[in-house]
């Protein structure tokens, strides 16, 4: 019975990720069609929040309260770092957020802190489950490199869509250095979660996001 339940749950997760992939692909097409692009941008923060909450809730059922004990401080600290970074330009570089990602608190959309939680944990789970890295320090190091790669893919697209803007016009190196250090610090505890990583939803969601960003960069470059 337990085996059948796990098999059903895994099949449900695959179906959910397929639907999510179709959903993001539709968004990709909508961004490329001038008639629908304003609607896509308007819906962006709400859709990110809904999809993120669903994927996080699945992970929460697997990991239990320990995930909350990790996620809440990660959200609060990364959000605070973003707020300090925007105000001073000293952490990531001089930048500011546009209106696309929703309402701001201290000049930072709260969805940014939530996205830090999802990206760091999703990539950490991928490294732990799919790459079978059991050593905490090594796993956090690989996770940090992949998080930097995720941001590297995202940056040009985010700038072109108005998510945020760098005052210097280019992405400074300190942004990627900060991403690496922050990702390392907050991904390290994931290797000490007692529950085994079984669900594929969160890491699958991050992979779908990355594919979406790559397709968007290709699509926008193609149409000029």
């Amino acid at each position: 019975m337990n085996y059948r339940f796990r098999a059903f749950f895994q099949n449900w997760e695959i179906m959910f990720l397929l639907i999510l992939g179709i959903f993001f692909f539709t968004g990709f097409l909508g961004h490329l069609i001038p008639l629908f692009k304003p609607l896509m941008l308007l819906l962006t923060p709400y859709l990110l929040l809904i999809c993120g909450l669903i994927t996080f809730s699945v992970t929460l059922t697997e990991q239990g309260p320990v995930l909350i004990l990790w996620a809440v401080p990660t959200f609060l600290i990364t959000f605070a770092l973003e707020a300090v970074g925007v105000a001073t330009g000293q952490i990531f570089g001089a930048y500011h957020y546009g209106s696309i990602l929703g309402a701001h608190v201290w000049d930072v959309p709260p969805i940014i802190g939530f996205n830090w939680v999802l990206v760091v944990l999703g990539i950490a789970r991928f490294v732990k489950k799919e790459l079978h890295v059991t050593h905490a320090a090594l796993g956090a190091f690989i996770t940090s490199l992949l998080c930097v790669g995720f941001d590297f893919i995202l940056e040009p697209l985010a700038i072109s869509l108005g998510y945020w803007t760098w005052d210097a016009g280019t992405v400074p190196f300190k942004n990627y250095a900060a991403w690496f250090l922050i990702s390392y610090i907050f991904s390290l505890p994931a290797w000490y979660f007692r529950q085994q990583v079984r669900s594929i939803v969160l890491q699958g969601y991050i992979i779908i996001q990355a594919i979406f960003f790559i397709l968007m960069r290709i699509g926008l470059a193609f149409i000029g």
Side-chain angles (χ1 to χ4, degrees), residues 135-199:
H135 190 279
L138 177 60
F141 179 81
I142 297 174
T143 298
S144 300
L145 289 178
L146 292 178
C147 285
V148 171
F150 183 90
D151 184 57
F152 182 79
I153 294 171
L154 171 60
E155 285 292 344
L157 177 63
I159 295 169
S160 67
L161 293 178
Y163 291 3
W164 57 77
T165 303
W166 293 97
D167 294 359
T170 57
V171 185
F173 175 78
K174 68 163 53 177
N175 170 68
Y176 299 117
W179 260 83
F180 180 88
L181 182 59
I182 295 170
S183 300
Y184 186 90
I185 291 172
F186 289 104
S187 65
L188 191 61
W191 266 261
Y192 298 99
F193 292 167
R194 291 186 177 182
Q195 293 295 328
Q196 183 178 354
V197 175
R198 296 184 183 276
S199 173

Side-chain angles (χ1 to χ4, degrees), residues 26 33 50 55 57-58 85 92 96 100 103 119 124 193 220 223:
T26 303
I33 301 174
I50 293 171
T55 56
S57 64
V58 173
F92 302 93
H96 61 273
I100 302 299
V119 170
F193 292 167
L220 291 177
I223 65 175

Side-chain angles (χ1 to χ4, degrees), residues 1-222:
M1 186 67 179
N2 189 36
Y3 170 78
R4 291 181 179 179
F5 177 78
R6 288 202 304 269
F8 170 80
F9 189 66
Q10 290 171 350
N11 289 335
W12 174 87
E13 289 184 342
I14 292 172
M15 287 299 299
F16 173 74
L17 290 175
L18 285 174
I19 294 172
L20 202 60
I22 294 172
F23 185 76
F24 267 78
F25 185 73
T26 303
F28 157 69
L29 295 177
H31 275 82
L32 299 184
I33 301 174
L35 179 64
F36 296 114
K37 185 177 179 180
L39 177 62
M40 296 296 104
L41 295 177
L42 178 65
L43 294 176
T44 293
Y46 307 104
L47 297 179
L48 286 176
L49 180 61
I50 293 171
C51 293
L53 286 174
I54 293 173
T55 56
F56 182 80
S57 64
V58 173
T59 309
L60 180 60
T61 60
E62 174 189 275
Q63 294 296 330
V66 68
L67 185 60
I68 296 296
L69 295 176
W70 173 85
V72 171
T74 300
F75 170 83
L76 293 175
I77 295 173
T78 54
F79 179 82
L81 290 172
E82 291 277 355
V84 172
V86 168
T88 66
Q90 295 303 310
I91 298 178
F92 302 93
Y95 68 109
H96 61 273
Y97 284 98
S99 61
I100 302 299
L101 295 178
H104 293 189
V105 177
W106 296 317
D107 297 321
V108 178
I111 193 70
I112 290 296
F114 187 38
N115 203 57
W116 268 105
V117 171
L118 297 177
V119 170
V120 171
L121 184 60
I123 294 178
R125 286 170 66 87
F126 173 81
V127 173
K128 192 173 184 180
K129 179 178 173 62
E130 307 303 333
L131 302 185
H132 308 289
V133 178
T134 57
H135 190 279
L138 177 60
F141 179 81
I142 297 174
T143 298
S144 300
L145 289 178
L146 292 178
C147 285
V148 171
F150 183 90
D151 184 57
F152 182 79
I153 294 171
L154 171 60
E155 285 292 344
L157 177 63
I159 295 169
S160 67
L161 293 178
Y163 291 3
W164 57 77
T165 303
W166 293 97
D167 294 359
T170 57
V171 185
F173 175 78
K174 68 163 53 177
N175 170 68
Y176 299 117
W179 260 83
F180 180 88
L181 182 59
I182 295 170
S183 300
Y184 186 90
I185 291 172
F186 289 104
S187 65
L188 191 61
W191 266 261
Y192 298 99
F193 292 167
R194 291 186 177 182
Q195 293 295 328
Q196 183 178 354
V197 175
R198 296 184 183 276
S199 173
I200 61 172
V201 168
L202 183 52
Q203 50 269 43
Y205 174 59
I206 299 304
I207 291 173
I208 290 172
Q209 274 197 17
I211 294 173
F212 170 78
F213 297 146
I214 292 171
L215 289 177
M216 281 294 301
R217 288 186 61 176
I218 295 173
L220 291 177
F222 181 76

